Amino acid sequence: MRMQRWLALALAGTLAGCYVGPPSDWDDDFPDGPTVPDGSNSVEGVDFFIDSLTGPSVLGGDSLKEVHAKLCNRGNIFGVTDVSFFLSKDNTLDTRDTWVATSSRISVPAGSCRDASAQVGFVDLPETSYYLLAAADFDDFTFEADERNNEGTGGHISVDFNPPPRPFLSWVSSTDSSPFPLLQAQAEANDVIRVYRGDSCSGTPVAEANTCARGYAQVRINLSEYSETYYSARAYESAGNVSGCSSIPAPGGYENPGEDDTTPPPPPVITEATWQYGTNQQALRVRGTTEAGAEVGIFIDAQCTGIPAATVFANASGAFSANLTVQAAGGATVRRVFVAARDAALNESVCVEGPKYDTPCAPGYANCDGNPANGCEVNLTEDPNHCGTCSTSCDTPGDAVGVCVAGTCGNACAVGRYDCDGNAANGCESTYACSPSTCTISRSAELAITALSVVEDPVRTVPGGAWSFGTLMKAMAGDQDPSALVRQWLKTWTTPQTINGITLPARSQMLSRVLGPWEAKSGGANQPLDFSKAPFRLLAIMNRMDLRNPGVQSGEGRFVFGVLDPQGNPLEFTVILEFALPGGSPEAIQRWAKDWHELGQLGLNHPNYNAKLQALTDRFAKTGVMAGRPFGNALNQIRTNEFVLAEPWEMREFNLTETGLRPTTVKLTPDLGFENSNMLRDYIRANQADILAEQHVVPERIGGVPFLGASAQVPEGFFWRAPAVNTEARHKFSLNTCSGCHAGETGTDFTHISPRAAGRQAVLSVFLRGGTVRDPWTLAPRTFDDLGRRATDLAALVCGTSSAQGLTGVETFGGFPAPSNLPRARVH
């Protein structure tokens, strides 16, 4: 079924650039649009142009705004295209302009017009006015009689996504005989102030007014109709941005309140000032007591001067409480809180300071010299003089070099020395590169570890074990319950996701096939996930030191999991957790290489093998091992590969952020729509030398058009083609995409490490284990052996030789450490 459907699509792709008319049974139930405006002469073929362009006057707030283009076809045959919309400082479309949306693809009959619309959300641009521009067929998919008339210019659009400040509320005396008080709100000029019953700005507003040029608005409140203990208000901008909520107690005796009162409130008493650490924002809760009904201003790092960070009102017993979020300060910074009270007659108390707060260092950093002026000056994850804790020094025994990696001390060989015999007692005993007979790389113990003794370790792979899915996800959540993190991640499949301007449709079977059954076993959708019942089975632990980037990381360490159905059977769904190997110094790289190689020297059957492997994986999979990352976690990305949620087969990629696991582009892989397209042809031709050298980069956009894929969709046997390009360049480009490497280009059935049933070892693809397949385009034989390449690379690191098993001779590499033999443009 899969083969037939996708073969048809693949064959259809070879017709790109040919005109295909509508089928004879075309059922056009849609109303015709307006005809092409008078005076536009029909031309041969397809000829799109933008007749008119409209949009909102302001972009802002959290609601989507629609833009519309009247798209016409001056040609004599129908055409299918989309319209891309841009914001520009001038009225000329060029590379400096910002893409904001693209319509769906629409069919425009000959001599007719259709409406092309799209929704625009948040735009990351400075606040100012821009021209709205549009371009039909921006990716140049459709051949037209005239390609020069596809752009249109609309009116001006103002961009404003900054919310207004919360209004400052106070009750003021009436100047007339009205029995109802006036609520005065101070905010930005020309905002709309809406007043609500209660203190949470919820429900239907009871009154509203516009602020004047000075930012004031007064609203009369009918206390008999809207009798409340508190009232609240928000400020609304014309752009759609909304302020935070301010509240105020209902007035008591509002007629000329406090007219003769000149006594300030007593100094507030602060009973609590509790901070909660955050890397970008910090939460603060302040509690205390003061005069009943007084307004309390909370100031951060300022002695009751300027605008308070928050204002609240004391209740009838004088207690007040404020919860606010403030911009985070650097580690080792001292934060101060000040509070002052003001009564109804505007008398102000003295300023009171609360407890000081010493901002902790981010995970992986420390203030070892005790000087707050230079903050958290030490990186505990890689400083050999402060490794893991301040003043912990890494010793340098014998000919080895002490090195700190992930906050743990270890040894690496100095430049020009090698540990050929694997004997820790004599360290790096050799001043010559090791011979092949003493430097044998074990693929199964050092590179691709799939042995059941590891992936079904009775201690480390069970719930709570170091290699269990729940433990690894808990580390990503800062050693807290990972239920929220994992739910948020899995639910990204249940709603459309827009990445790089490309919208991925929802794959709703995530709920019915994976998350829903797991939640049912955990007690329900509102309960913490039970990770002892997590539907994930470990398939392999992978050493990817060939992905090292000196100065940044020593490579990657990966855990490959298969996803299970409710009965524990493997699904066509794998998840790869890809961690950086922390440390990019030559010594750190050498230490990682030495430690991976020692696994092979022990052998899979050695009783200490799994313990040594865990000590190694702990250095990249735990919290606090890589400074500067969320929770100090070294995750580079999570990549998924599945067919069970919907057709077609699809791969997605996710990054760990402070707010969870967020989808991102798939690297080196264009959107599937560019397969066999003129745009792909032009890209390959323009970058042919880099592609042949496997040094190319696939950009997110080309000419403002989203190019890099939001996912990698993989039809059966898929490989990338482009018309009239160099055959070898086509192969190298396709090989380095996710979709090409996992399908027709390498003769792979989607996964390089197969899902497995319990008690069975995962199977590796021909691309990994070695073998010959036919080039899908030329049918010439191509041989792959990626594990062999990785073995050669690791041998160069640990032994100074390029030899792996079965090879003879010794080749000493220049440089330290040896450069990776992995082409830069390969990320698999």
Side-chain angles (χ1 to χ4, degrees):
M1 184 74 166
R2 228 165 58 203
M3 176 67 79
Q4 292 176 348
R5 175 177 179 182
W6 285 110
L7 181 59
L9 288 178
L11 291 174
T14 64
L15 300 176
C18 300
Y19 166 66
V20 181
S24 58
D25 60 349
W26 182 278
D27 183 13
D28 188 1
D29 291 333
F30 298 101
D32 289 334
T35 59
V36 176
D38 293 339
S40 56
N41 299 320
S42 177
V43 297
E44 291 293 327
V46 178
D47 186 19
F48 295 121
F49 70 97
I50 303 293
D51 181 66
S52 61
L53 181 60
T54 59
S57 59
V58 178
L59 285 176
D62 57 4
S63 61
L64 298 174
K65 307 292 197 313
E66 282 203 343
V67 287
H68 296 265
K70 183 179 177 182
L71 175 64
C72 300
N73 179 6
R74 205 192 310 262
N76 62 355
I77 60 175
F78 91 104
V80 178
T81 192
D82 53 29
V83 175
S84 296
F85 298 87
F86 304 83
L87 293 182
S88 173
K89 289 288 186 66
D90 52 35
N91 59 359
T92 302
L93 184 60
D94 54 40
T95 57
R96 297 170 297 176
D97 300 329
T98 300
W99 171 91
V100 294
T102 297
S103 73
S104 59
R105 296 179 69 83
I106 56 175
S107 174
V108 186
S112 297
C113 299
R114 290 287 188 267
D115 177 69
S117 62
Q119 292 185 320
V120 182
F122 174 78
V123 177
D124 188 13
L125 283 173
E127 286 188 35
T128 187
S129 182
Y130 298 86
Y131 284 96
L132 176 64
L133 307 182
D137 193 31
F138 192 78
D139 52 16
D140 202 22
F141 274 174
T142 303
F143 178 80
E144 298 182 61
D146 187 352
E147 300 282 2
R148 300 167 299 174
N149 61 348
N150 287 10
E151 300 173 6
T153 303
H156 285 88
I157 292 181
S158 296
V159 172
D160 178 9
F161 283 92
N162 291 324
R166 293 191 301 175
F168 177 79
L169 305 179
S170 60
W171 297 102
V172 298
S173 302
S174 299
T175 57
D176 53 25
S177 58
S178 172
F180 305 124
L182 287 171
L183 177 61
Q184 179 170 281
Q186 181 180 356
E188 290 180 337
N190 303 315
D191 285 352
V192 176
I193 304 297
R194 292 184 181 140
V195 181
Y196 300 84
R197 303 173 70 167
D199 60 1
S200 61
C201 296
S202 59
T204 303
V206 299
E208 69 175 49
N210 292 83
T211 56
C212 63
R214 296 176 56 207
Y216 287 91
Q218 292 184 348
V219 184
R220 196 173 295 280
I221 304 298
N222 186 336
L223 296 180
S224 61
E225 182 177 356
Y226 305 112
S227 178
E228 292 290 334
T229 305
Y230 275 82
Y231 295 87
S232 54
R234 293 186 191 272
Y236 293 79
E237 289 181 333
S238 59
N241 301 310
V242 182
S243 76
C245 181
S246 297
S247 63
I248 187 172
Y254 72 94
E255 306 88 350
N256 301 316
E259 185 177 57
D260 300 322
D261 183 4
T262 60
T263 304
V269 176
I270 300 175
T271 58
E272 179 185 358
T274 304
W275 293 79
Q276 183 175 347
Y277 172 78
T279 56
N280 296 318
Q281 293 183 320
Q282 293 176 322
L284 169 64
R285 181 172 65 181
V286 180
R287 292 181 178 179
T289 59
T290 186
E291 182 179 293
E295 181 184 13
V296 179
I298 292 94
F299 300 80
I300 308 300
D301 300 330
Q303 294 186 352
C304 303
T305 58
I307 300 175
T311 57
V312 294
F313 288 86
N315 62 20
S317 62
F320 66 86
S321 178
N323 294 284
L324 59 156
T325 301
V326 300
Q327 192 69 26
T333 302
V334 177
R335 307 303 301 271
R336 304 171 70 190
V337 178
F338 299 89
V339 172
R342 182 167 66 180
D343 62 20
L346 305 184
N347 300 306
E348 295 185 0
S349 74
V350 298
C351 187
V352 175
E353 182 176 2
K356 294 181 176 63
Y357 173 71
D358 292 317
T359 305
C361 296
Y365 290 98
N367 179 19
C368 289
D369 64 4
N371 181 8
N374 59 5
C376 303
E377 81 286 354
V378 172
N379 184 342
L380 297 176
T381 67
E382 58 186 38
D383 190 329
N385 297 314
H386 304 278
C387 190
T389 59
C390 292
S391 301
T392 297
S393 178
C394 296
D395 296 329
T396 55
D399 297 316
V401 176
V403 59
C404 180
V405 173
T408 65
C409 284
N411 299 316
C413 290
V415 179
R417 301 196 70 91
Y418 304 95
D419 178 15
C420 294
D421 62 7
N423 183 356
N426 59 9
C428 305
E429 81 288 347
S430 177
T431 58
Y432 297 95
C434 308
S435 68
S437 61
T438 60
C439 190
T440 301
I441 303 297
S442 170
R443 301 185 186 193
S444 60
E446 301 176 49
L447 297 174
I449 306 168
T450 61
L452 291 181
S453 59
V454 172
V455 298
E456 292 189 355
D457 182 295
V459 174
R460 295 171 177 87
T461 65
V462 298
W467 300 334
S468 71
F469 182 80
T471 295
L472 296 170
M473 299 306 292
K474 184 178 180 181
M476 294 181 206
D479 290 333
Q480 304 298 312
D481 180 1
S483 295
L485 174 73
V486 174
R487 266 200 180 97
Q488 168 266 315
W489 167 54
L490 295 179
K491 285 185 176 181
T492 60
W493 275 274
T494 65
T495 58
Q497 302 290 315
T498 299
I499 307 153
N500 192 30
I502 301 170
T503 299
L504 295 179
R507 292 166 83 88
S508 58
Q509 289 198 63
M510 169 59 74
L511 283 178
S512 61
R513 305 200 66 175
V514 180
L515 180 57
W518 186 10
E519 288 182 325
K521 293 179 180 180
S522 302
N526 297 320
Q527 298 300 313
L529 293 171
D530 185 346
F531 284 87
S532 70
K533 298 178 174 62
F536 298 91
R537 175 176 290 140
L538 183 61
L539 308 179
I541 297 175
M542 305 293 290
N543 165 13
R544 293 305 310 272
M545 283 208 69
D546 58 320
L547 286 165
R548 61 188 174 276
N549 184 3
V552 178
Q553 65 177 34
S554 295
E556 285 188 351
R558 298 178 173 181
F559 288 89
V560 185
F561 286 90
V563 183
L564 310 176
D565 70 12
Q567 289 73 45
N569 301 310
L571 296 171
E572 291 182 296
F573 194 160
T574 61
V575 175
I576 311 178
L577 312 183
E578 301 179 347
F579 297 89
L581 300 181
S585 69
E587 294 77 16
I589 292 172
Q590 289 297 110
R591 179 188 172 188
W592 280 109
K594 182 173 179 289
D595 287 347
W596 282 107
H597 184 50
E598 286 176 356
L599 291 171
Q601 293 172 316
L602 276 182
L604 285 164
N605 295 324
H606 194 282
N608 294 334
Y609 179 90
N610 286 13
K612 183 171 180 60
L613 176 59
Q614 183 190 333
L616 190 152
T617 61
D618 282 350
R619 296 211 310 263
F620 64 75
K622 284 194 167 185
T623 299
V625 297
M626 197 166 186
R629 300 284 187 96
F631 306 112
N633 191 271
L635 184 78
N636 277 345
Q637 60 273 325
I638 290 178
R639 293 199 286 182
T640 63
N641 187 353
E642 56 80 20
F643 177 70
V644 299
L645 303 182
E647 289 191 55
W649 198 290
E650 184 182 63
M651 289 179 278
R652 296 191 180 190
E653 189 165 325
F654 302 83
N655 291 151
L656 180 63
T657 71
E658 296 289 347
T659 57
L661 286 162
R662 301 298 177 191
T664 186
T665 53
V666 287
K667 305 307 177 278
L668 291 172
T669 307
D671 182 76
L672 184 62
F674 293 104
E675 201 280 320
N676 209 24
S677 69
N678 289 339
M679 183 177 285
L680 181 58
R681 173 202 63 198
D682 295 343
Y683 168 79
I684 292 177
R685 286 179 176 177
N687 297 275
Q688 179 171 302
D690 284 344
I691 291 172
L692 289 172
E694 296 181 272
Q695 302 292 312
H696 62 288
V697 174
V698 177
E700 288 194 351
R701 293 169 181 268
I702 295 179
V705 176
F707 188 65
L708 193 62
S711 71
Q713 296 182 334
V714 193
E716 187 91 21
F718 177 79
F719 59 94
W720 285 90
R721 297 162 299 168
V725 297
N726 176 277
T727 298
E728 190 65 14
R730 183 217 65 78
H731 164 69
K732 291 289 182 69
F733 175 82
S734 182
L735 175 65
N736 287 297
T737 64
C738 296
S739 44
C741 185
H742 280 255
E745 205 62 51
T746 61
T748 298
D749 190 17
F750 300 115
T751 59
H752 290 306
I753 302 172
S754 70
R756 67 178 185 88
R760 293 183 178 272
Q761 192 169 348
V763 177
L764 304 183
S765 69
V766 169
F767 173 76
L768 285 180
R769 70 178 186 267
T772 300
V773 300
R774 292 198 175 274
D775 184 293
W777 184 252
T778 67
L779 302 183
R782 290 191 182 275
T783 300
F784 299 103
D785 181 15
D786 209 57
L787 285 180
R789 178 194 59 76
R790 299 178 199 180
T792 300
D793 180 69
L794 187 59
L797 276 178
V798 297
C799 304
T801 173
S802 65
S803 62
Q805 299 109 303
L807 300 179
T808 61
V810 176
E811 178 184 350
T812 300
F813 277 64
F816 175 79
S820 174
N821 67 6
L822 176 75
R824 189 181 71 181
R826 195 169 301 171
V827 296
H828 319 301

